[in-house]
Amino acid sequence: HEVILATLTDLESASRELGSSTRESSGTICSRLCALARKLMDAENHHQREEQVLFPALEDVGIDGPTAVMREEHVELRTAKHNLLEHSRLPDAWERREEIGRRCSWIVHFLRDHIAKENMILYPEALESISDASQWDEMKKRADAVGYCPFTPGWL
């Protein structure tokens, strides 16, 4: 989450720069936005590990409200990240800078809120509800099989 949050800060900054850029300087900024969108998309394995490993374990112990919300948010985030990548690559991105800025702002706010919910609600609930160490060991094996983000420390 720390890497994702830092990426969101960079995205926010690049979006502001695009908003005040000239047509001539916008190409470099749009390239940066593309790279940041790709980095956010690289977090897909994180979402897949949650959806394939953590959420089912929580649902098995009767916790399904938070997992349903998180799944829906993952779908929204996937769409938004793909749209940002596509729009920041368009030849007329500078003309679309306000729209791109709105997309960036939405992703930044939505994903920060999503991460806060995971950190403050979902993960503590998982730690409290799943007490069997062998279950955590099995979940770790399944998470390893899903894979990790390219920016995950120790998994590069």
Side-chain angles (χ1 to χ4, degrees):
H1 282 167
E2 290 174 20
V3 172
I4 295 169
L5 290 169
T7 302
L8 293 175
T9 298
D10 291 344
L11 182 66
E12 202 169 37
S13 174
S15 174
R16 275 194 303 268
E17 289 175 30
L18 181 63
S20 62
S21 70
T22 63
R23 182 182 302 277
E24 294 75 31
S25 66
S26 67
T28 302
I29 299 166
C30 286
S31 293
R32 188 167 148 216
L33 285 169
C34 283
L36 292 166
R38 277 196 236 52
K39 190 169 185 179
L40 290 173
M41 291 170 63
D42 282 345
E44 184 57 28
N45 280 349
H46 170 74
H47 300 306
Q48 289 300 314
R49 284 192 317 277
E50 290 174 339
E51 292 173 11
Q52 294 176 28
V53 180
L54 181 61
F55 295 174
L58 286 168
E59 291 159 353
D60 285 347
V61 296
I63 299 169
D64 56 5
T67 59
V69 170
M70 294 293 113
R71 275 193 182 94
E72 288 175 23
E73 289 185 3
H74 287 174
V75 170
E76 290 180 72
L77 285 164
R78 281 183 192 108
T79 300
K81 291 184 285 187
H82 284 282
N83 285 339
L84 174 61
L85 180 62
E86 289 197 18
H87 280 82
S88 59
R89 286 195 290 205
L90 293 173
D92 64 345
W94 186 78
E95 286 87 1
R96 297 170 177 256
R97 65 190 178 279
E98 288 181 19
E99 178 184 349
I100 292 170
R102 284 190 298 275
R103 290 173 186 276
C104 289
S105 181
W106 186 89
I107 290 171
V108 166
H109 291 96
F110 193 85
L111 190 46
R112 282 180 178 155
D113 183 61
H114 178 83
I115 288 170
K117 285 187 263 189
E118 287 183 345
N119 288 345
M120 294 188 296
I121 299 167
L122 186 73
Y123 298 157
E125 217 168 338
L127 290 170
E128 185 177 309
S129 302
I130 303 169
S131 57
D132 183 357
S134 65
Q135 184 175 1
W136 282 106
D137 291 340
E138 178 58 33
M139 290 168 60
K140 170 77 166 80
K141 289 177 188 170
R142 291 176 44 223
D144 289 348
V146 172
Y148 291 83
C149 307
F151 52 77
T152 302
W155 291 93
L156 301 176

